[in-house]
């Protein structure tokens, strides 16, 4: 069975500072990994995904994530955040059939 | 291109009333379909998923049910709403679980 753990429920960060949102996964099979962003009262929008190949994945809005198989991690990073990045971020995994598993979310608050 | 429609966007219903939320997908065939509920601090709770017409799997026993009468239509229902059914409901579709595409969500308030 898959599981996804987001280690921080809330992350405050000053504008233009770097940020890392942490995600660990566990699975006995090969997985697909992704990050989604949710703005208030909206659905989830895909930021980036890892299927295979290069372990550094670049997504929209300047975000990137690195797949680390030995540490079973898929942390999301951005070198300089903007006020508009304030949102909730979800890490998730898929197992190539129907299973989709998400973490509990991390609320990113960008402080002016 | 594929699109997903979910409605209504907001809904206020009295306790004990029925519920029907609808989700439709365009531009793909035989998608996996999902209903999630989102409560504050609890992330995304998978309620139901479907891999085909008439095939519904429930992840959490509760006051809700789901149906898939057509390939690209997924309905979430309740015969009698409880206060605890309040929340943000999200429909999603996926092709082989490599990523999911979400609707805009329905904010349900049971009063």
């Amino acid at each position: 069975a898959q599981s996804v753990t987001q280690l921080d429920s809330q992350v405050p960060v000053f504008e233009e500072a770097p940020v890392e949102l942490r995600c660990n996964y566990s699975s006995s099979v090969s997985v697909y990994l992704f990050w989604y962003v949710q703005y208030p009262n909206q659905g989830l929008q895909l930021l980036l995904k890892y299927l295979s190949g290069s372990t550094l994945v670049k997504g929209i809005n300047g975000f990137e994530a690195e797949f680390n198989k030995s540490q079973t991690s898929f942390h999301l990073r951005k070198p300089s955040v903007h006020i508009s990045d304030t949102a909730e971020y979800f890490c998730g995994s898929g197992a190539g059939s129907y299973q989709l598993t998400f973490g509990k979310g991390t609320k990113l608050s960008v402080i002016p | 291109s594929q699109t997903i429609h979910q409605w209504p966007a907001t809904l206020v219903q009295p306790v004990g009333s029925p519920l029907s939320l609808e989700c439709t997908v365009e531009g793909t065939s035989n998608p996996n379909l999902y209903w999630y509920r989102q409560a504050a601090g609890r992330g995304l709770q998978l309620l139901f998923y479907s891999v085909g017409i008439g095939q519904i799997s429930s992840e959490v026993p509760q006051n809700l049910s789901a149906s898939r009468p057509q390939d690209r239509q997924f309905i979430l229902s309740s015969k009698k709403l409880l206060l605890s059914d309040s929340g943000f409901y999200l429909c999603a579709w996926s092709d082989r679980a490599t990523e999911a595409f979400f609707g805009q969500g329905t904010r349900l308030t049971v009063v």
Side-chain angles (χ1 to χ4, degrees):
Chain A
Q2 305 171 73
S3 69
V4 175
T5 302
Q6 291 183 245
L7 298 164
D8 305 295
S9 60
Q10 298 188 51
V11 173
V13 63
F14 286 104
E15 192 174 13
E16 297 184 3
V19 69
E20 179 180 81
L21 305 184
R22 297 180 294 167
C23 174
N24 286 92
Y25 70 93
S26 67
S27 175
S28 58
V29 299
S30 297
V31 296
Y32 306 108
L33 297 166
F34 23 76
W35 277 97
Y36 285 82
V37 60
Q38 184 183 34
Y39 300 103
N41 290 312
Q42 293 187 26
L44 277 68
Q45 179 186 4
L46 182 69
L47 273 178
L48 49 80
K49 63 181 178 181
Y50 172 80
L51 302 181
S52 64
S54 173
T55 57
L56 183 62
V57 181
K58 293 188 182 297
I60 62 172
N61 301 340
F63 284 93
E64 63 180 32
E66 185 159 17
F67 171 63
N68 188 318
K69 188 174 182 178
S70 63
Q71 297 185 8
T72 61
S73 67
F74 191 57
H75 301 333
L76 182 70
R77 302 185 182 100
K78 186 170 183 178
S80 176
V81 295
H82 302 135
I83 294 292
S84 58
D85 293 323
T86 295
E88 190 161 16
Y89 293 79
F90 290 90
C91 181
S93 71
S97 56
Y98 62 86
Q99 288 183 309
L100 291 170
T101 305
F102 292 91
K104 291 187 179 299
T106 298
K107 290 186 177 179
L108 173 64
S109 298
V110 180
I111 305 164
Chain B
S1 64
Q2 304 91 352
T3 56
I4 179 169
H5 302 282
Q6 185 181 343
W7 69 92
T10 60
L11 191 60
V12 180
Q13 291 285 98
V15 169
S17 64
L19 173 74
S20 181
L21 303 181
E22 189 162 344
C23 173
T24 60
V25 181
E26 296 177 357
T28 187
S29 60
N30 197 31
N32 295 331
L33 296 172
Y34 308 82
W35 278 110
Y36 290 89
R37 178 167 59 200
Q38 188 175 14
R42 300 183 67 179
L44 292 167
Q45 180 186 32
L46 178 62
L47 302 176
F48 302 94
Y49 68 89
S50 172
V51 299
I53 296 175
Q55 300 179 61
I56 308 294
S57 297
S58 174
E59 289 291 303
V60 182
Q62 56 206 317
N63 186 41
L64 301 169
S65 62
S67 62
R68 184 170 178 174
Q70 300 181 42
D71 181 44
R72 290 169 288 179
Q73 184 184 28
F74 205 25
I75 298 171
L76 182 69
S77 304
S78 174
K79 292 182 178 179
K80 290 185 177 181
L81 284 168
L82 306 173
L83 286 174
S84 57
D85 292 323
S86 293
F88 192 57
Y89 290 82
L90 288 160
C91 179
W93 76 269
S94 175
D95 180 15
R96 297 188 309 279
T98 55
E99 68 179 282
F101 301 90
F102 286 83
Q104 289 299 297
T106 297
R107 173 73 60 191
L108 172 65
T109 305
V110 183
V111 297

